[in-house]
Amino acid sequence: KIVGVYRPYWTYDSHTDSWYQGERGDYYYENEDYTDSQGKRQTRRVRKTRWRNVSGRVNRFFDDVLVSAGRPTEWSTNYDLQRVQPYAPAFLSGWSAERYTVAPEKGWESAQSIMDAQIHQDVRSDIGGDEQRVHHIKTAYNAVRFKHLLLPLYLSAYFYGGKPFRIQINGQSGEVRGQRPYSFWKILFLVLAIAGVIAGIILVVKLTERPTSKLGPHHQEETAEAEVQLEAVFPLVLDVDDRDLVADAQQDVLDGQESKLDRAFDVVARD
């Protein structure tokens, strides 16, 4: 079940005049000599801040600073106060309305805190420079006015897995805030799937980045010599049908070439 309720708020208007004292910091740069880790003299550019005392005055008009006047809600929500309508009993048809529990004097303290934060930013902007120090602000609040508002909110709750989950819907904008259940197994499988995809990408990258072998000058000469020797021996081997019939001279040449070929192949295999 979804229940519509009008929640109470205060809004405050005020003209403010603020006097402040502080300091303005402006950056400047100087060259500084120092000794590095190797004992050599070096020069570096160092930033410093020049401070001077300042004072001044800022003013601002605050219009409709909104403060909740009812029980706190779990989630904040925003309203467009330019669209509020004058009160009419018909608006409450089928709705409930919450009574305010925060007195207007107490709400004014909260509104002042909101205003003071903005005034502090105005003072920093008025001081200018690269850095600011605000020592003191004294503010006068003039022509203070407040209004009582009722703003619409839908509330609901539902049960899932034996646990309650609450939601709220802004009755003006439709913004939804609330709680929802999460599936442990769905989250686990999603994490595992993402991890598997990442692992697959890493594996593909490693397989496509195999280093190519590069021969040094010495190895290139040995390889070229092995190719020449190979060309000389292959015809000899192909012409011999039976190793026992090879002449002693040819056998010595063949054995010597085989030994050189073994060393050449070892060179290629290492690279």
Side-chain angles (χ1 to χ4, degrees):
K1 183 179 181 180
I2 297 178
V3 178
V5 59
Y6 279 105
R7 303 204 67 250
Y9 288 85
W10 301 115
T11 66
Y12 297 88
D13 306 335
S14 178
H15 288 278
T16 62
D17 287 299
S18 304
W19 293 263
Y20 67 84
Q21 292 179 335
E23 294 179 79
R24 169 178 172 146
D26 295 293
Y27 295 151
Y28 67 98
Y29 297 86
E30 291 183 351
N31 292 330
E32 181 181 88
D33 296 331
Y34 71 100
T35 303
D36 62 18
S37 58
Q38 298 178 352
K40 296 181 180 180
R41 297 287 293 175
Q42 303 286 351
T43 301
R44 60 188 171 193
R45 193 169 176 81
V46 179
R47 190 187 76 184
K48 296 186 178 181
T49 305
R50 182 180 292 109
W51 293 97
R52 62 185 177 89
N53 294 325
V54 294
S55 61
R57 175 184 175 184
V58 297
N59 56 75
R60 174 183 283 268
F61 173 69
F62 289 92
D63 182 34
D64 286 338
V65 176
L66 189 65
V67 176
S68 175
R71 297 188 300 270
T73 58
E74 293 186 76
W75 305 280
S76 61
T77 188
N78 298 314
Y79 293 92
D80 181 5
L81 299 185
Q82 300 299 320
R83 296 169 56 192
V84 297
Q85 300 292 323
Y87 172 78
F91 287 141
L92 294 178
S93 178
W95 287 64
S96 60
E98 181 184 343
R99 293 181 180 272
Y100 68 82
T101 57
V102 177
E105 296 81 6
K106 192 69 175 177
W108 170 240
E109 295 178 4
S110 299
Q112 280 183 305
S113 298
I114 297 173
M115 296 178 186
D116 289 346
Q118 181 60 57
I119 292 171
H120 191 274
Q121 292 299 321
D122 292 345
V123 168
R124 293 177 65 91
S125 297
D126 194 65
I127 291 175
D130 299 305
E131 293 186 31
Q132 305 83 32
R133 294 173 179 170
V134 181
H135 298 317
H136 179 69
I137 300 176
K138 183 178 181 180
T139 300
Y141 302 91
N142 303 307
V144 177
R145 300 177 59 188
F146 70 93
K147 297 182 288 290
H148 179 222
L149 299 185
L150 294 174
L151 300 177
L153 191 71
Y154 292 98
L155 302 175
S156 183
Y158 62 94
F159 284 85
Y160 181 83
K163 297 181 180 180
F165 295 89
R166 293 177 294 276
I167 59 173
Q168 70 178 35
I169 305 170
N170 186 308
Q172 183 189 66
S173 66
E175 177 194 32
V176 179
R177 304 290 299 275
Q179 301 168 313
R180 54 153 293 180
Y182 292 91
S183 170
F184 169 80
W185 293 109
K186 288 182 179 179
I187 295 175
L188 177 62
F189 291 147
L190 176 62
V191 172
L192 293 177
I194 294 174
V197 171
I198 294 175
I201 293 174
I202 294 175
L203 180 60
V204 171
V205 170
K206 287 185 176 181
L207 292 176
T208 57
E209 291 184 352
R210 286 181 175 176
T212 57
S213 175
K214 294 185 178 180
L215 301 179
H218 176 66
H219 290 166
Q220 290 176 352
E221 293 178 0
E222 293 185 352
T223 304
E225 181 182 355
E227 292 176 351
V228 173
Q229 295 169 351
L230 194 62
E231 292 176 357
V233 173
F234 273 174
L236 180 61
V237 175
L238 293 176
D239 290 340
V240 177
D241 295 329
D242 188 350
R243 192 178 184 87
D244 294 336
L245 300 178
V246 179
D248 292 342
Q250 291 179 324
Q251 184 64 51
D252 292 339
V253 173
L254 182 61
D255 292 340
Q257 295 296 339
E258 287 179 343
S259 178
K260 292 181 180 181
L261 284 175
D262 289 340
R263 291 197 300 272
F265 287 142
D266 288 341
V267 172
V268 176
R270 287 199 303 272
D271 293 324

